[in-house]
Every structure is written in structure tokens, then in C-alpha cells.
Amino acid sequence: MAFYIFPKAISKKECNKYLKYCLQNSNFEDASTIVSGFSDTAEKTDDVKKRQKFNSEMRKTDVSFITDRNNLMNELVWGFLREANKQFFNYNLDYFQAIQFARYQNGAHYDWHQDATTLSDQQEHRKLSLTMSLTDHTTYDGGYLEFYNGNKPL
């Protein structure tokens, strides 16, 4: 496992600007983990979202995807990914997935997980993930980003 850190990469003022921008340009949806099967109340409906059963034990948050290539966040995030890749990883990057903007409110969480892409055609593989906190860490409890290394020393 390898990681690259950009300490204090952007100023507090810039964080506030990006956070405001994301909040104003996001359409949030429940991002709880989808469990196989259907909810009891919507078994016979054609609406897929109503048929899905969500499990908030693993993940409880709202997300929005930033898909517009000319979006303010894409330039920032893709710049950091390219720089980390150039300095440390040297992957052949020819595609970036949409940015996932998550909103964690009181009681929200995301338990241990592995960032990965599962596609049936196996043409695309996630090589790098980037996490950026835009909220001042003194205004909330928790939010620690931890890496699991298979009980191996770092």
C-alpha cells in the first residue's frame, strides 16, 4: 500500500470557496450500502430505487457526483491526482471517474471499505483515490481517515 499526502494543499479560504461551490451545485442522494434483495414495502413496484434495500450500518451519508468536466472541483482534484501520480505512482492515467462529493451530517459514517471499481467488462480499474476534507476539522468530531494495511507494518 502506498499513499501520498499534500499537507495543507489549499488555504482555509479556498476550502470555504470549494465547499460553498459544491453545496450549491450538488444533488444529494442516500449513499447507504445497497443490500441484495428488495425492501418489503416496494417488492412489486417497477421503481428500482424503491425496491432497493439500504443498509446504513456500513455507510450512512449523502453523496453527489460532479460530472461536468468544466466544473471548478475537477480542475483542482485532477491536478492533485496527476501530481501525486507523477511524483510517486507513475500509472498510465487516461480516464478520471466523476468526483464523489459526500456530505456527512450528525451520526453519518463510512466504515472500513476498499475503493474499487467493479465493471462487467473489466476495461476500467481504479488506480488512485483522493480524499479531500473541505470542512474545518475543529467544527466536528470524528472524520479520521485511516488506512488498513493488512496488519503489516507501514
Side-chain angles (χ1 to χ4, degrees), residues 45-61:
T45 181
D46 289 332
D47 186 344
V48 173
K49 283 193 174 191
K50 289 181 182 175
R51 293 186 319 179
Q52 294 172 336
K53 186 174 183 180
F54 292 94
N55 176 356
S56 60
E57 289 178 26
M58 167 76 117
R59 183 178 193 181
K60 182 180 178 188
T61 186

Side-chain angles (χ1 to χ4, degrees), residues 44-101:
K44 296 181 181 178
T45 181
D46 289 332
D47 186 344
V48 173
K49 283 193 174 191
K50 289 181 182 175
R51 293 186 319 179
Q52 294 172 336
K53 186 174 183 180
F54 292 94
N55 176 356
S56 60
E57 289 178 26
M58 167 76 117
R59 183 178 193 181
K60 182 180 178 188
T61 186
D62 299 325
V63 297
S64 180
F65 289 90
I66 300 172
T67 58
D68 178 13
R69 287 188 170 272
N70 296 321
N71 184 292
L72 183 65
M73 290 306 294
N74 284 333
E75 182 179 329
L76 176 72
V77 171
W78 292 349
F80 282 125
L81 282 171
R82 285 187 186 103
E83 181 63 24
N85 187 55
K86 178 181 164 186
Q87 295 293 325
F88 195 73
F89 301 103
N90 297 308
Y91 289 126
N92 179 18
L93 300 178
D94 55 4
Y95 174 78
F96 291 94
Q97 292 179 318
I99 295 170
Q100 183 183 140
F101 178 61

Side-chain angles (χ1 to χ4, degrees), residues 18-29 63-66 71 73 99-103:
Y18 289 119
L19 178 59
K20 184 178 178 180
Y21 180 86
C22 287
L23 289 170
Q24 289 175 343
N25 293 286
S26 293
N27 295 314
F28 289 101
E29 294 185 17
V63 297
S64 180
F65 289 90
I66 300 172
N71 184 292
M73 290 306 294
I99 295 170
Q100 183 183 140
F101 178 61
R103 175 176 62 182

Side-chain angles (χ1 to χ4, degrees), residues 75-138:
E75 182 179 329
L76 176 72
V77 171
W78 292 349
F80 282 125
L81 282 171
R82 285 187 186 103
E83 181 63 24
N85 187 55
K86 178 181 164 186
Q87 295 293 325
F88 195 73
F89 301 103
N90 297 308
Y91 289 126
N92 179 18
L93 300 178
D94 55 4
Y95 174 78
F96 291 94
Q97 292 179 318
I99 295 170
Q100 183 183 140
F101 178 61
R103 175 176 62 182
Y104 291 86
Q105 298 184 62
N106 285 341
H109 63 275
Y110 199 176
D111 208 347
W112 286 104
H113 68 281
Q114 181 177 351
D115 282 359
T117 302
T118 305
L119 296 175
S120 58
D121 62 8
Q122 297 300 310
Q123 296 294 319
E124 174 186 310
H125 301 280
R126 185 178 297 168
K127 296 175 183 174
L128 297 175
S129 292
L130 182 137
T131 298
M132 177 184 296
S133 178
L134 296 175
T135 305
D136 185 339
H137 68 90
T138 63

